[in-house]
Amino acid sequence: MDQPRPAKRASGRRPPVTLHDVAKASGVSVATASHVANGRTDVRMSDKTRRRVQATIDELGYRSNALAKNLVKGSSQFIGLVADAIATTPFAGQIIRGAQDEAWRHGFVLLVANTDADAGVEAEAIDMMLEHRVRGILYSTWFHREVEVPEALGVADAVLVNCYSSDATVRSVVPDEVQGGRAATELLLAAGHRRVAMINTVSESPARAGRLEGYRQALAAHEVPFDPALVLDAEPDQEGGYDSFDRVRELGASAVFCHNDRVAMGLYDAVRVRGLKVPGDLAVVGFDNQDVISAHLRPPLSTVQLPHYDLGAAGIRVLLGIDHLPAGATMHLECPVVPRASVALPTAP
């Protein structure tokens, strides 16, 4: 069969072949390609179709076929997940749970390694997973950022989750920070507020840039002029929110979009200490939807949720070729709004 092989980069690594590639080249569905690749003999399929798909798998060098030859017939298949600190964050386990549920749904078992950002541990974890003949590896970070792809991942089918890289062959699944910032600001504008401040973080990151861009887009959509003075930088913690309150009041803002829920919690503290109330004196929206904070503040905090569970699940679907994502492309997942009682119409002057 004369099928074109994926183009190689200058470094010699070529984009991983996906089930979508096999299905397209064979003229069959992704499900049919998956059945052949995984050696399923209990699925009804003509011998001619099975031979054609198998020939395409061999020609394109689809990795699952090579690994399956070394696995005991009927044994579980594995997918690896390597994380820098995800198991110890406030969002503990959400990405892992999403990946695990989705992997299990498709007949795979998830192997998880938490490296604590130790490069040596990371390399050993990846080697261990390759020894276990994993179908591929999800590589995840606890906050959304750019990463240097570990060299060991060059021999595996890999997808980055909650992080991205300039590597032109690696696929990524990340939260849509711009959409999230726009949605948070929209909550306040829709309630009638026009003097809306934003407390942003001090560290350069996709979250800082993306949420600010979303804030600006929402203002523009409501024909509210952007005032750079209303954008304050603060440490992304409770103290940062508390220390920003006086400046927010000086600027005459009736509402604030906070970089995260911890900043919003500090702002609540400052409002309460001064004998004021949320949302009557100041409407507040956070970001992250940390259950230990947002749902338990009084009043409960309106916020925007980072889609950690969905990031893990989407990473598995991309890895298996169920959701097609070209080499080097990034999938942005929506950050859903969680409206609660911290937003109301501004008080009349």
Side-chain angles (χ1 to χ4, degrees), residues 198-205 208 211 231-245 256-267 287-288:
M198 178 184 181
I199 302 178
N200 210 351
T201 184
V202 294
S203 305
E204 293 298 329
S205 65
R208 171 184 163 87
R211 294 173 197 179
V231 179
L232 313 178
D233 287 343
E235 292 298 328
D237 54 26
Q238 193 169 356
E239 290 302 315
Y242 188 94
D243 293 342
S244 299
F245 177 80
V256 183
F257 162 35
C258 298
H259 177 77
N260 63 29
D261 293 347
R262 288 175 296 154
V263 170
M265 181 165 58
L267 206 56
F287 207 107
D288 289 349

Side-chain angles (χ1 to χ4, degrees), residues 15-347:
V17 178
T18 68
L19 279 175
H20 186 277
D21 298 327
V22 173
K24 184 176 180 181
S26 305
V28 298
S29 68
V30 171
T32 298
S34 176
H35 293 327
V36 177
N38 292 313
R40 294 283 300 276
T41 57
D42 58 335
V43 179
R44 293 186 62 181
M45 185 188 315
S46 71
D47 289 342
K48 183 179 179 181
T49 298
R50 191 180 297 277
R51 286 194 299 270
R52 183 171 77 252
V53 175
Q54 186 61 60
T56 303
I57 288 171
D58 294 339
E59 177 66 19
L60 296 183
Y62 180 65
R63 188 170 192 81
S64 180
N65 179 62
L67 297 176
K69 290 177 179 176
N70 296 316
L71 290 173
V72 177
K73 195 94 169 173
S75 64
S76 295
Q77 289 180 270
F78 301 111
I79 291 173
L81 188 150
V82 177
D84 61 354
I86 202 167
T88 56
T89 67
F91 309 104
Q94 291 185 40
I95 289 179
I96 294 173
R97 189 162 58 87
Q100 182 172 272
D101 288 352
E102 192 68 21
W104 188 256
R105 191 174 292 120
H106 298 286
F108 289 83
V109 176
L110 193 69
L111 301 178
V112 180
N114 184 43
T115 68
D116 288 324
D118 184 307
V121 173
E122 181 178 88
E124 289 180 10
I126 294 173
D127 285 346
M128 177 272 293
M129 289 177 178
L130 294 176
E131 288 174 5
H132 279 76
R133 304 180 178 92
V134 292
R135 165 61 182 81
I137 296 175
L138 300 188
Y139 183 84
S140 184
T141 54
W142 76 272
F143 70 94
H144 182 191
R145 61 186 176 90
E146 184 173 6
V147 297
E148 188 77 27
V149 178
E151 187 177 349
L153 283 184
V155 297
D157 191 359
V159 176
L160 305 184
V161 174
N162 205 35
C163 54
Y164 64 97
S165 168
S166 58
D167 189 317
T169 69
V170 181
R171 297 159 293 168
S172 305
V173 181
V174 300
D176 191 337
E177 304 283 6
V178 176
Q179 171 271 324
R182 187 169 62 245
T185 310
E186 182 71 33
L187 271 178
L188 298 165
L189 294 169
H193 295 277
R194 289 300 177 267
R195 193 74 176 158
V196 179
M198 178 184 181
I199 302 178
N200 210 351
T201 184
V202 294
S203 305
E204 293 298 329
S205 65
R208 171 184 163 87
R211 294 173 197 179
L212 175 59
E213 175 59 25
Y215 166 81
R216 297 189 65 158
Q217 287 184 10
L219 293 177
H222 283 257
E223 299 182 343
V224 176
F226 171 69
D227 182 353
L230 284 170
V231 179
L232 313 178
D233 287 343
E235 292 298 328
D237 54 26
Q238 193 169 356
E239 290 302 315
Y242 188 94
D243 293 342
S244 299
F245 177 80
D246 288 339
R247 183 61 180 149
V248 166
R249 295 297 280 181
E250 287 171 9
L251 291 166
S254 65
V256 183
F257 162 35
C258 298
H259 177 77
N260 63 29
D261 293 347
R262 288 175 296 154
V263 170
M265 181 165 58
L267 206 56
Y268 265 56
D269 291 342
V271 169
R272 184 176 60 254
V273 164
R274 289 159 178 80
L276 303 174
K277 291 185 178 180
V278 174
D281 296 294
L282 188 69
V284 182
V285 172
F287 207 107
D288 289 349
N289 193 32
Q290 281 189 240
D291 284 342
V292 294
I293 297 175
S294 56
H296 299 288
L297 289 174
R298 293 293 178 267
L301 175 67
S302 297
T303 187
V304 173
Q305 181 170 316
L306 283 167
H308 287 106
Y309 181 94
D310 293 337
L311 289 171
I316 293 291
R317 292 195 300 273
V318 169
L319 187 68
L320 296 178
I322 297 165
D323 288 351
H324 179 56
L325 191 65
T330 299
M331 177 185 292
H332 293 84
L333 297 191
E334 179 182 354
C335 300
V337 171
V338 185
R340 295 192 180 99
S342 63
V343 177
L345 292 173
T347 348

